[in-house]
């Protein structure tokens, strides 16, 4: 899969949560959740970076592409590691 910023990536970056969930319920959205951006981030990585994505958005992203939970981005972080750091659950070493 190519490295490109999809509409799903943009919706997450804009914190447009209802639009993100709606997009995930389309064939294009389902494909997009498997696509990395130029930094190697899947949409789930981006949602976990913010520290403000609602649990419903994280849940929908995981349901759409469960394997994403264990995928490392270009910096070597999984979405779970990013969530732990950005949602106040620990530091990088934990």
């Amino acid at each position: 899969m190519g490295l490109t910023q999809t509409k799903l990536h943009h919706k997450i970056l804009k914190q447009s949560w209802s639009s993100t969930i709606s997009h995930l319920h389309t064939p294009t959205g389902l494909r997009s959740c498997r696509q990395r951006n130029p930094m190697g981030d899947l949409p789930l990585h981006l949602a976990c970076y913010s520290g403000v994505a609602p649990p419903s958005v994280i849940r929908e992203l995981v349901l759409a592409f469960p394997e994403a939970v264990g995928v490392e981005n270009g910096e070597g972080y999984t979405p779970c590691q990013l969530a732990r750091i950005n949602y106040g659950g620990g530091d990088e070493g934990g």
Side-chain angles (χ1 to χ4, degrees):
M1 291 179 211
L3 297 177
T4 185
Q5 198 89 321
T6 67
K7 286 183 181 180
L8 184 58
H9 287 92
H10 285 287
K11 290 175 187 302
I12 293 168
L13 289 171
K14 289 173 44 178
Q15 298 183 3
S16 182
W17 306 126
S18 61
S19 181
T20 296
I21 290 175
S22 295
H23 192 63
L24 277 170
H25 292 276
T26 68
T28 302
L30 287 173
R31 282 191 304 274
S32 296
C33 69
R34 299 172 179 269
Q35 203 158 0
R36 295 175 182 258
N37 69 8
M39 303 304 290
D41 293 309
L42 293 167
L44 183 58
H45 287 102
L46 296 182
C48 292
Y49 269 124
S50 72
V52 298
S56 59
V57 171
I58 302 293
R59 181 177 47 251
E60 291 291 330
L61 287 164
V62 171
L63 288 173
F65 183 36
E67 295 87 352
V69 172
V71 174
E72 292 183 354
N73 65 6
E75 296 292 319
Y77 291 104
T78 66
C80 288
Q81 291 169 317
L82 293 171
R84 187 172 40 248
I85 293 166
N86 295 308
Y87 282 85
D91 60 27
E92 292 183 40

